[in-house]
């Protein structure tokens, strides 16, 4: 097994060496690299490519089906993505952002964690199970997106379209998202294994304010820039109302037994005690984001010269919409609290995901396997602040869970999308152990 893990780590290194950077427009992507990456998968996992059905969706998203022995059982889908975000050349040790070097017990480079790790973990496990002559009961599917980092329009959304057309419906989907980490981020001493049940929507809008043109020596009371500043000021001062959603309620209930003293009793009934705990949850920006839809102003454009009044001023707001809200409701809120006139242009519209169940057989199976592989960890369901491809799959799955079997430190988590991203070889081993058990015991 040790050699297998080392070989898997080397293959993860090779996977990293293809700089498969995604961009919002497919035309801006170096798609030859994506084709090379897929050829690398074919070379590296011969049995998977011999025994499983494979089709390429939209040219670059491979979709695999391992036919099960019992067609009466609902299929299961494992997701991953092989596109990565860009990387600066500077600051990387071990040969640069796309070296894929395996040194000091780690695989180095962009994508080693997010999310080529999942692809190698799954491929390696499937290859191993095929070598052993394993036969799944259910159909097992693999789907790999190639533009997850830029919304999944060309990958995940096209895969879902195809699956919908075929009338395929999954018992559950398992994607990246949660992992095993220190519980300090949740205020407890225990190690936690967090499973994402839901994600907030990620929507962006541009707001345009119009004012008088002319010379700045004879200005009106407000320029378009002044109006825009007033708008931003008012919206920031009056955030969206606070609410306790079911997912966050479940999360707090799961943390409660590990909190000290009275806090444990209070958090065990978060809805009852919400007026009491709300204040302290709002003090921390991580937990505050779990309680409301957020609005962040991220881009602005205005003016051309020091002595010219700007006719138009524009700003962009990124909205993260909480379950129970809609994007339209957040826009109404902005209108209402500002009481101002402006034009709105959508950049990306999205609605929040559903919340998956913690009472399903699939969830029980997931937690049981986590308990076996990470006996030190407490399983906590949670709401993800970031987005994954899995949200696109909701129409074709009973439940969608977001968990990757990796034990990560806070420093390692901080390197995702940053400089120095890496994955320990130990974590490669953990993935093989987890996925193998998970699949072998899936009934
Ligand atoms: Zn990712």
């Amino acid at each position: 097994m040790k050699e297998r893990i080392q070989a898997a780590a080397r293959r993860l290194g090779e996977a990293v060496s293809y700089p498969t950077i995604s961009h919002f427009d497919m035309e801006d992507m170096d798609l030859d690299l994506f084709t090379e990456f897929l050829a690398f998968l074919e070379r590296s996992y011969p049995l998977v490519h011999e025994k499983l059905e494979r089709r390429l969706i939209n040219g670059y998203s491979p979709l695999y089906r391992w036919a099960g022995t019992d067609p009466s059982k609902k299929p299961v889908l494992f997701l991953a993505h092989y596109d990565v975000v860009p990387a600066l050349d500077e600051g990387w040790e071990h040969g640069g952002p796309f070296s894929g070097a395996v040194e000091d017990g780690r695989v180095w480079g962009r994508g080693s964690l997010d999310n080529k790790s999942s692809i190698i973990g799954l491929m390696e496990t499937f290859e191993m199970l095929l070598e052993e002559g394993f036969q799944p009961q259910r159909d097992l599917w693999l789907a790999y997106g190639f533009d997850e980092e830029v919304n999944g329009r060309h990958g995940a959304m096209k895969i879902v379209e195809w699956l919908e057309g075929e009338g395929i419906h999954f018992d559950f989907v398992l994607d990246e998202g949660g992992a095993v980490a220190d519980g300090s981020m949740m205020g407890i001493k225990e190690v936690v294994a967090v499973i994402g049940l839901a994600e907030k929507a990620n929507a962006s809008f541009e707001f345009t304010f119009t004012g008088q043109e002319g010379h700045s020596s004879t200005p009106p009371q407000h320029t378009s820039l002044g109006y825009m500043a007033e708008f931003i000021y008012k919206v920031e001062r009056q955030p969206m109302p606070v609410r306790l959603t079911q997912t966050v309620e479940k999360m707090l209930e799961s943390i409660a037994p590990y909190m000290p003293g009275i806090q444990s009793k209070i958090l065990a009934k978060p809805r009852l005690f919400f007026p009491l705990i709300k204040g302290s949850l709002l003090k921390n920006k991580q937990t505050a984001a779990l309680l409301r839809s957020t609005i962040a102003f991220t881009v602005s454009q205005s003016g051309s010269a020091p002595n010219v009044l700007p006719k138009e001023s524009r700003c962009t707001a990124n909205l993260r919409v909480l379950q129970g809200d809609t994007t339209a409701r957040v826009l109404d809120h902005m209108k209402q609290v500002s009481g101002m006139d402006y034009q709105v242009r959508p950049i990306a519209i999205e609605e929040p995901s559903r919340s998956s169940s913690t009472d399903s057989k699939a969830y029980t199976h997931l937690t049981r396997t986590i308990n076996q592989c990470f006996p030190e960890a407490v399983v906590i369901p949670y709401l993800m602040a970031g987005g994954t491809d899995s949200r696109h799959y909701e129409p074709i799955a009973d439940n969608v869970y977001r968990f990757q079997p990796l034990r990560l430190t806070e420093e390692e988590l901080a390197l995702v999308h940053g400089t120095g991203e890496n994955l320990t070889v130990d974590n490669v081993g953990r993935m093989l152990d987890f996925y193998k058990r998970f699949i072998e015991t899936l009934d």
Side-chain angles (χ1 to χ4, degrees):
M1 194 62 192
K2 235 181 157 172
E3 277 141 49
R4 178 113 218 174
I5 295 168
Q6 282 299 334
R10 282 196 301 276
R11 281 189 277 268
L12 176 57
E14 189 174 348
V16 167
S17 74
Y18 300 91
T20 43
I21 298 165
S22 54
H23 298 280
F24 200 73
D25 280 320
M26 242 172 111
E27 283 165 20
D28 298 331
M29 285 156 70
D30 188 347
L31 291 166
D32 288 345
L33 288 169
F34 289 68
T35 300
E36 282 173 37
F37 179 85
L38 297 175
F40 148 75
L41 287 185
E42 270 186 70
R43 264 195 324 274
S44 306
Y45 302 103
L47 279 179
V48 171
H49 288 85
E50 184 194 320
K51 306 273 188 198
L52 272 60
E53 284 169 30
R54 188 197 78 150
R55 51 179 53 77
L56 284 182
I57 306 294
N58 203 15
Y60 302 94
S61 265
L63 177 65
Y64 300 85
R65 172 177 170 256
W66 189 353
T69 52
D70 187 348
S72 71
K73 289 191 164 153
K74 277 190 191 170
V76 167
L77 172 63
F78 298 90
L79 294 185
H81 67 88
Y82 70 98
D83 62 311
V84 295
V85 295
L88 298 172
D89 281 331
E90 306 86 55
W92 291 80
E93 289 166 34
H94 311 278
F98 297 102
S99 78
V102 185
E103 282 169 15
D104 306 338
R106 290 168 189 267
V107 184
W108 296 90
R110 172 66 78 237
S112 55
L113 205 168
D114 182 12
N115 179 246
K116 286 172 175 169
S117 54
S118 288
I119 294 189
I120 297 301
L122 289 164
M123 285 311 227
E124 213 72 37
T125 306
F126 274 50
E127 189 78 8
M128 227 167 10
L129 289 168
L130 286 162
E131 283 167 17
E132 292 171 11
F134 177 79
Q135 265 290 322
Q137 293 183 31
R138 301 159 183 262
D139 281 9
L140 302 180
W141 292 73
L142 298 167
Y144 301 151
F146 69 98
D147 66 342
E148 189 271 351
E149 298 292 0
V150 287
N151 262 354
R153 279 192 307 154
H154 306 294
M157 283 171 80
K158 297 287 180 204
I159 299 171
V160 171
E161 249 174 60
W162 186 88
L163 288 164
E164 259 182 330
E166 295 291 306
I168 296 162
H169 192 92
F170 296 99
D171 184 287
F172 68 92
V173 167
L174 184 63
D175 195 8
E176 62 171 339
V180 183
D182 295 332
S184 52
M185 59 174 182
M186 297 190 159
I188 59 176
K189 286 198 292 288
E190 279 73 11
V191 169
V192 293
V194 293
I195 302 175
L197 297 183
E199 44 193 272
K200 291 169 92 174
N202 178 356
S204 296
F205 292 87
E206 186 186 68
F207 301 82
T208 303
F209 297 80
T210 311
Q212 284 172 25
E213 282 178 288
H215 200 280
S216 60
S217 58
T218 52
Q221 195 191 356
H222 282 299
T223 65
S224 67
L225 180 54
Y227 281 122
M228 184 174 84
E230 185 182 343
F231 171 70
I232 294 174
Y233 175 79
K234 284 177 167 168
V235 170
E236 284 191 344
R237 293 258 296 196
Q238 297 170 86
M240 287 288 289
V242 167
R243 268 183 310 112
L244 182 65
T245 63
Q246 233 180 40
T247 307
V248 177
E249 184 179 8
K250 276 183 196 159
M251 177 184 139
L252 296 173
E253 282 169 355
S254 314
I255 298 169
Y258 309 97
M259 296 294 282
I262 185 81
Q263 286 185 49
S264 156
K265 295 215 164 47
I266 291 173
L267 275 192
K269 294 196 168 59
R271 197 160 294 278
L272 181 65
F273 291 114
F274 191 57
L276 211 67
I277 56 177
K278 182 167 86 171
S280 62
L281 291 171
L282 286 174
K283 274 189 202 130
N284 172 308
K285 62 179 195 255
Q286 250 83 26
T287 44
L290 302 174
L291 301 183
R292 59 159 57 115
S293 297
T294 58
I295 302 162
F297 292 97
T298 50
V299 181
S300 70
Q301 282 163 319
S302 178
S304 57
N307 58 352
V308 178
L309 298 172
K311 182 162 192 287
E312 282 186 342
S313 295
R314 288 193 187 97
C315 62
T316 300
N318 181 243
L319 320 182
R320 299 296 170 118
V321 187
L322 186 66
Q323 279 65 28
D325 277 338
T326 59
T327 304
R329 196 181 297 171
V330 180
L331 288 176
D332 282 349
H333 171 86
M334 295 170 86
K335 186 89 205 171
Q336 204 199 328
V337 299
S338 69
M340 295 174 71
D341 286 328
Y342 47 77
Q343 282 174 309
V344 186
R345 182 178 73 84
I347 298 170
I349 305 184
E350 206 174 81
E351 299 303 335
S353 80
R354 254 187 0 227
S355 189
S356 286
S357 169
T358 51
D359 298 322
S360 68
K361 266 184 80 178
Y363 189 80
T364 307
H365 184 62
L366 187 56
T367 52
R368 195 190 300 127
T369 316
I370 293 172
N371 288 332
Q372 286 166 356
C373 296
F374 302 92
E376 74 283 15
V378 176
V379 176
I380 311 277
Y382 83 123
L383 166 67
M384 281 186 57
T388 68
D389 262 350
S390 67
R391 67 187 182 283
H392 300 300
Y393 290 78
E394 287 197 328
I396 56 165
D398 290 352
N399 285 293
V400 173
Y401 300 112
R402 302 152 183 93
F403 174 77
Q404 217 186 338
L406 305 173
R407 172 75 172 95
L408 299 171
T409 62
E410 265 175 63
E411 296 80 60
E412 286 165 335
L413 282 166
L415 297 176
V416 176
H417 291 199
T419 299
E421 182 177 349
N422 70 81
L423 189 77
T424 62
V425 176
D426 286 344
N427 269 327
V428 175
R430 288 186 187 107
M431 283 193 296
L432 304 195
D433 181 36
F434 178 92
Y435 287 128
K436 190 156 185 286
R437 281 181 203 240
F438 186 83
I439 292 168
E440 280 175 339
T441 54
L442 191 67
D443 64 6

